[in-house]
Structures are given as structure tokens and as C-alpha cells.
Amino acid sequence: MNTNVLQHRIKFIAGLLPTHETIATSSSVNLDISKPRK
Amino acid sequence: MKILIDIKHLIFLSLAFVLFTIIGTVSHEYGHIIVAKSLGYETTLHYGSMNSYPKGYSNDKDVIAFKNLTKDYVDVKYDSWPKELKDKAQEYKNILEKRYWNEKSNNDLFITIGGTLQTTLTGTIGLLFLIWRRKIICKKGMRTLDWLVVFLSLFWLREVFNLVTSIGGELISPNGTWFGGDELYISRDLNLWSGTIPIILATIGTVIAIYVVFKIIPKKIRLTFILSGFVGAIMGFILWMHIIGPKILP
């Protein structure tokens, strides 16, 4: 996991990032912050 | 050719666009929230986003400790974090991932779809009402209710706006993707090409907006309406996302 993804994941798990944003910001689109899915 | 802009209508319609930009944004978040609540998640609403977490997440002592540990480093690059902080953060991350994010589930996809569905469903109901009312509008003109429904039908413009802003963002500051927001996540979660949902919805949104503007809005006010759309939507976006919204729903 590269450091950008790791930092994003840490912020996400720490509840410091929104889970759903209204506008199509590009800051997180390359980062896999999603929960595991079927 | 004589082009007429009706100033009084321009002001009223611009204000209506401002208002409906805000209503559209907040109601979109409520679309996510309704689905998240129905799936048993805890949620919070913010001016331009919502959060959904498994039940008990916010009150979990490890989450609170993790948040306190990292809150001062939100804007600091991970590489610059002190080593002991990195180690502790990794530890919390692993514990909480295992506790809350380990179960394979499609719930996040359903929550994501909730917002987009709210926006497009509201727009579609508005469009169907306008199609039904079209002949009466042509004969008798627009009533207040018709104007209200015009703005609801234009909820579809979110899909156009999101595609335009994500493409614009990539042109100005490339990061390797032309798409963004819920629509991108839905495409990815459905194992489709990233642009599938953003492009399909933006195309439908464009067709509906063209229909409403050129088939419903009376010709004499059409140009004023288009101009007020640009002015009001941009003003509404700036006002809500940067000025009022952060104060009311931080």
C-alpha cells in the first residue's frame, strides 16, 4: 500500500474524512478507501 | 436580432436557482442517509457530505482515541509523521479495520446509490409532471407549481455538473482520472468502466435539461432563464459550499 493510500485509509478509519461527498472532488478518487465488498 | 433580458425575472429566477442548488445538495445527502439509516448505520450530515459508520463506531473508545491521535496531522503528509505516531496509527487502523470493516458487504454501494437515486428520481418525477402539463403550459402559461417542478426536474443537472467539474479538474490538475464522486464509485463497485455511470447519467441530464429549457420554458423568457441558471447555480454553489454551508452544517 503506497503512503498516499495508507494516509487516506488511516484518516478514513479515524473518521476524519467524509464517507460520501456531494461534488466530484478529485482528491480521493484514486485511493481505495472503500470497505470490502462481495 | 433583438435579444431581451428581463431583469426582474432574471433576479427572481437566479434566487430560485440559488435556493434549489442548496436544496438539491442537502436532499442528495439525505438520499444517502435514508439508505444508511435503514441499513442500521449511524450517520452525520454536513454541508457537502455525509458520513455513515457501523453502529457504535463514533462512541468506540478506540475510534475516539484514534481520532484524537491523528487530528493534528490531517494536513501533514504521512511521510512526515513521527515514527511512533505512524506505528500507533497503524495499530489502531488494523484493530478498527478488523472490528468494523472486515465483513464483505455491498452496503456502501447501496448508500452511495441512495444519494444519486434521490437526485435522479426527484428529477424524473419533475420531468414526468412537466410532460403531463406541457400542453396546458403552452396554452395557459407557467403557474407557480410548474416553475417549482421545473427546478425539481433540473436536479438532473447535478449529473452534468459533476462530469463537467471532474473533467475540468483533470484538465487543470491531472491526477489520472476524468471522473469523480458517487457516480464513479457506483461504476467501480459494479465492476464497470469508471466513466460508465458518470457519462450515462450526464447524458440523460443534458437531454432532460435541453427538453425542459426548449420545450417547457416559454420562448420569451428562455434566454433569461438560461442566464439565471448559470448565475444562480454558480452563486448557490459558492454561497453554500464556501460561505453559508460550513457555518450551518459544518
Side-chain angles (χ1 to χ4, degrees):
Chain A
M1 196 184 279
N2 78 43
T3 54
N4 275 344
V5 175
L6 185 61
Q7 176 163 0
H8 209 273
R9 184 76 185 159
I10 283 171
K11 286 182 187 175
F12 180 73
I13 300 288
L16 298 172
L17 293 176
T19 56
H20 293 86
E21 286 181 295
T22 293
I23 54 164
T25 54
S26 58
S27 59
S28 62
V29 288
N30 275 336
L31 308 173
D32 180 19
I33 61 163
S34 59
K35 293 165 238 174
R37 294 190 180 89
K38 280 177 188 168
Chain B
M1 193 174 78
K2 199 176 177 184
I3 296 173
L4 288 175
I5 300 288
D6 181 335
I7 297 296
K8 193 180 93 179
H9 278 107
L10 179 70
I11 293 168
F12 276 117
L13 290 171
S14 296
L15 288 175
F17 268 107
V18 168
L19 186 67
F20 275 89
T21 301
I22 297 169
I23 292 170
T25 303
V26 176
S27 63
H28 174 89
E29 299 309 328
Y30 271 110
H32 292 304
I33 287 175
I34 287 169
V35 178
K37 289 267 188 208
S38 69
L39 291 170
Y41 284 71
E42 49 184 56
T43 62
T44 54
L45 173 68
H46 309 281
Y47 66 95
S49 65
M50 61 80 67
N51 281 8
S52 60
Y53 296 109
K55 221 167 184 54
Y57 195 80
S58 304
N59 295 323
D60 187 310
K61 61 178 176 42
D62 287 329
V63 173
I64 295 167
F66 191 17
K67 195 178 276 188
N68 286 333
L69 182 77
T70 52
K71 68 180 179 191
D72 295 332
Y73 291 85
V74 172
D75 299 319
V76 181
K77 272 194 92 73
Y78 182 76
D79 292 336
S80 310
W81 289 19
K83 190 182 177 307
E84 60 273 27
L85 177 65
K86 280 186 193 171
D87 293 344
K88 196 75 190 155
Q90 285 261 27
E91 209 177 295
Y92 274 121
K93 174 186 150 305
N94 293 338
I95 291 169
L96 293 169
E97 267 184 336
K98 200 173 176 186
R99 192 176 298 162
Y100 291 102
W101 308 121
N102 205 26
E103 186 193 344
K104 287 192 184 298
S105 150
N106 289 319
N107 286 354
D108 196 50
L109 169 63
F110 298 143
I111 297 169
T112 308
I113 289 174
T116 305
L117 193 64
Q118 185 283 332
T119 304
T120 52
L121 200 60
T122 305
T124 304
I125 292 168
L127 174 73
L128 293 175
F129 181 87
L130 290 174
I131 291 171
W132 173 64
R133 283 277 298 169
R134 193 178 156 219
K135 281 183 181 167
I136 302 166
I137 291 171
C138 286
K139 275 184 194 167
K140 298 183 177 176
M142 303 270 291
R143 301 275 170 92
T144 307
L145 182 65
D146 298 321
W147 279 113
L148 181 73
V149 178
V150 160
F151 286 103
L152 292 181
S153 71
L154 293 180
F155 270 30
W156 269 101
L157 282 177
R158 171 204 146 85
E159 305 306 326
V160 184
F161 176 84
N162 258 3
L163 185 64
V164 169
T165 49
S166 64
I167 289 175
E170 178 64 12
L171 287 172
I172 296 164
S173 170
N175 73 346
T177 180
W178 296 93
F179 311 104
D182 295 335
E183 295 78 5
L184 166 70
Y185 294 127
I186 295 168
S187 288
R188 284 186 175 174
D189 288 353
L190 294 174
N191 292 316
L192 300 169
W193 172 63
S194 301
T196 309
I197 301 295
I199 290 174
I200 289 173
L201 292 183
T203 306
I204 297 171
T206 305
V207 171
I208 289 175
I210 288 171
Y211 176 83
V212 171
V213 170
F214 291 97
K215 295 288 179 187
I216 302 293
I217 303 297
K219 200 175 176 181
K220 63 178 179 179
I221 204 170
R222 193 172 293 153
L223 189 63
T224 305
F225 182 81
I226 293 169
L227 193 60
S228 68
F230 280 104
V231 173
I234 292 169
M235 270 175 57
F237 180 80
I238 294 169
L239 266 175
W240 183 249
M241 297 302 281
H242 297 286
I243 301 169
I244 307 171
K247 287 193 175 75
I248 297 175
L249 282 172

